[in-house]
Amino acid sequence: MQILHISHSDEAGGAAIAARRLVEAQRAQGLDARMLVIERKGKRDFVSQAGSAVRVRLARIAAKRIAHIGARTDKDGMRSLGVIPSGIGAVIRGRSPDIVHWHWVGAESVSLSEMASSGIPCVWTCHDQWAFCGAEHYAPDRRFETGYTDAGIFDIDALTFRRKQAAWRGWNPTLIAPSEWMAKEALGSALMGDRAITTIPNTVDTMVFMPSDTRKTRTELGLPADCKIALFGADNGTSDPRKGFDLLMAALECMPGPSREDITLATFGGGTRATGKLADFDHIELGRFDADGAIAKLYSSADVFVAPSRQDNLPNTMVEAQACGLRSVAFDIGGMGDIIASSEMGALVKPFDVDAFGAAILSSVMKGYDRETVHQAAAKRFGAEPVVDQFKTVYDRLIAERDAST
C-alpha cells in the first residue's frame, strides 16, 4: 500500500507538524507513506517538494488582498481561495499512489479542481474548517450550514463555497476529523455533510513526549525551582486572537494577590528569550523550540499548561503536554474536551469566564497529580500504534471499494 500525504509544508505550522508526525508513525510501522509539499523546510528523505513555490507565493499575495476586500466579517481571518493550480495535481497523478491523504493545503497551495482531479481514493484530515466552509479556515458565523444563502453582491466566502460545490461535485473524499467537535461541524455543513466522516486524532511520539524529572528540566532550561509554573505556548500565540492570550491576561488579573508570589508564567513561541512582568506575575518568554526533545523537557518543567483559545481543533501543544504528563486548563470549545476527557487530565472552563479560568489555573498548580497516569492516558489515545491502526482501517476500506468497482 502506497500512501501519499499532501501538505502545504512539512514543518511550517501545527497542521504541517501533525501531518509529518503521522507519516513518520506510519513508516515506523512498515507502511509505504511519503509526503508531498509545496514548501519543504526539513531534510527528511520521505518528503519531496512539488509544484511552483513562486507561483504559489504570488497567488497568495493576490488572494489575501481579494479575500480582505470580499470578506463580510472577520476581515483579517485566514482565507484561501484555491484558484490557481500549483502543479501538484499532475505530480500526484504521475506517482499514482494507492491512497492520497490530503492535509492542510491553504495559502493557495493547490487549486480546487486539482484536489478532485486524480481519481485516486483519498482521505482529507480537517486540521481546520476550510474543507466545508467558503474561503474561511475558521468560520466566524454559521453560514457554512445553510450554504451561504444570504450572500451579498461580492461575498468572497459565498463565492468560494459555490466554486467548491462546482469543482467537487462527484468527488467524495473521506473526511478525517481530529476531534469530535470537528466531526460535528463537518456533518452539519451544507458542502460535506453527506460525505463519510471519521474521527481519528493526531498522533504524537510518546517515547519522546513523556514525563521527565521536573527539577532537572528546570535547571537545564534556566527556570526557577522554587515556584509553580503555568505554561502557555503557540506559534504567534500572543498575537493571534484565536489563541486567546488576552483572555489569559484577564484571567491572571482576576487571580488573588498572593498567587502572584507563588506562580510564574512561562511562554514559548515568541522571538527571543526575555524576562519581565505580565499582570504582576513573573514572566519568562523562552523563545522558539525546534527540537521535540527540548519541547518535551519544557512541558515536564511546568505544573500546568494553559490554553485559553477562542477557536481550536486539537492543538498539538495540548496533546504534547498531556503526553509529558502535564495537565491543562482550557475553555470548553472546539476539540479541547477530546484532550481533557476527565478531571484527571485537567480542567475545562465555561467559555469565556476569565474568573473561572484563573481559579482553575490556581487550583491546578496547587493540586498534586500523578504524571504517569496522565501520560498513559495520552499514549492510549494519541500514541502511534492506535492512531496508525485506525487510519489503516480507513485505507483498507477505500482500496477494497476501489477494487470492487473495477
Side-chain angles (χ1 to χ4, degrees):
M1 181 193 302
Q2 296 179 346
I3 309 130
L4 185 60
H5 294 259
I6 316 298
S7 173
H8 168 73
S9 175
D10 53 337
E11 291 187 1
I17 292 170
R20 192 199 69 238
R21 285 175 175 171
L22 176 59
V23 178
E24 290 170 333
Q26 290 178 342
R27 290 175 64 85
Q29 295 193 36
L31 295 180
D32 184 4
R34 296 185 177 276
M35 195 171 190
L36 191 62
V37 301
I38 288 292
E39 295 185 4
R40 184 172 183 243
K41 301 292 186 180
K43 296 181 180 180
R44 298 165 182 85
D45 59 6
F46 59 82
V47 180
S48 56
Q49 185 167 311
S52 171
V54 173
R55 184 190 304 174
V56 167
R57 291 189 191 102
L58 292 174
R60 187 182 307 151
I61 293 169
K64 186 175 182 179
R65 292 176 180 174
I66 293 169
H68 184 81
I69 294 170
R72 281 185 22 167
T73 58
D74 189 24
K75 284 185 172 289
D76 294 323
M78 178 68 185
R79 284 175 167 81
S80 298
L81 307 185
V83 175
I84 299 174
S86 65
I88 206 167
V91 177
I92 294 170
R93 292 191 296 273
R95 292 198 180 188
S96 191
D98 295 298
I99 296 288
V100 174
H101 190 145
W102 293 95
H103 290 274
W104 195 90
V105 286
E108 311 314 313
S109 300
V110 64
S111 71
L112 302 181
S113 59
E114 278 182 301
M115 296 188 71
S117 67
S118 72
I120 298 169
C122 71
V123 301
W124 188 359
T125 295
C126 298
H127 295 283
D128 56 27
Q129 296 175 286
W130 189 73
F132 51 86
C133 286
E136 328 96 291
H137 284 265
Y138 277 96
D141 51 43
R142 308 302 297 178
R143 295 195 298 155
F144 68 89
E145 296 176 327
T146 61
Y148 299 80
T149 52
D150 62 342
I153 295 174
F154 180 57
D155 183 332
I156 198 64
D157 296 320
L159 289 172
T160 305
F161 176 86
R162 292 178 189 134
R163 289 178 48 245
K164 286 180 177 179
Q165 280 185 313
W168 296 347
R169 187 172 290 115
W171 184 51
N172 294 298
T174 294
L175 297 188
I176 304 298
S179 67
E180 293 292 344
W181 167 76
M182 186 63 77
K184 291 176 182 177
E185 294 286 276
L187 281 168
S189 71
L191 185 60
M192 288 287 182
D194 60 347
R195 267 63 163 195
I197 301 169
T198 301
T199 303
I200 305 176
N202 300 327
T203 188
V204 65
D205 188 341
T206 54
M207 298 303 292
V208 174
F209 290 96
M210 60 188 301
S212 55
D213 183 80
T214 298
R215 185 170 293 276
K216 182 179 178 181
T217 56
R218 288 193 183 187
T219 299
E220 292 177 2
L221 294 167
L223 292 171
D226 56 351
C227 67
K228 301 294 185 179
I229 293 180
L231 181 66
F232 169 88
D235 193 24
N236 298 316
T238 59
S239 59
D240 184 351
R242 283 197 311 108
K243 297 299 181 181
F245 189 71
D246 59 315
L247 297 175
L248 175 59
M249 290 299 97
L252 293 176
E253 289 170 357
C254 293
M255 291 171 68
S259 63
R260 288 160 172 73
E261 304 297 324
D262 301 323
I263 300 173
T264 293
L265 175 66
T267 59
F268 66 97
T272 57
R273 183 169 181 132
T275 59
K277 290 278 189 178
L278 282 176
D280 287 333
F281 285 81
D282 287 337
H283 170 236
I284 302 173
E285 167 57 50
L286 293 157
R288 292 185 179 274
F289 288 77
D290 295 323
D292 286 350
I295 300 173
K297 289 180 180 179
L298 179 54
Y299 292 123
S300 289
S301 73
D303 295 284
V304 67
F305 186 79
V306 293
S309 297
R310 290 181 169 88
Q311 291 178 307
D312 236 324
N313 182 10
L314 195 83
N316 289 339
T317 49
M318 283 182 65
V319 175
E320 293 165 354
Q322 191 174 97
C324 291
L326 184 62
R327 296 172 80 244
S328 297
V329 173
F331 290 118
D332 191 5
I333 56 92
M336 302 308 201
D338 287 45
I339 304 172
I340 306 175
S342 70
S343 58
E344 282 185 316
M345 303 300 110
L348 286 174
V349 177
K350 179 183 176 182
F352 293 99
D353 187 336
V354 293
D355 288 290
F357 199 89
I361 293 173
L362 186 57
S363 174
S364 294
V365 298
M366 297 303 176
K367 178 182 174 183
Y369 58 93
D370 182 9
R371 292 188 182 235
E372 186 59 29
T373 298
V374 177
H375 168 74
Q376 290 299 331
K380 185 176 181 180
R381 179 74 195 281
F382 306 114
E385 186 173 345
V387 171
V388 170
D389 285 349
Q390 291 175 77
F391 274 111
K392 192 172 185 303
T393 298
V394 173
Y395 297 157
D396 286 341
R397 174 180 60 79
L398 291 174
I399 291 174
E401 290 174 354
R402 178 201 63 188
D403 293 345
S405 66
T406 56

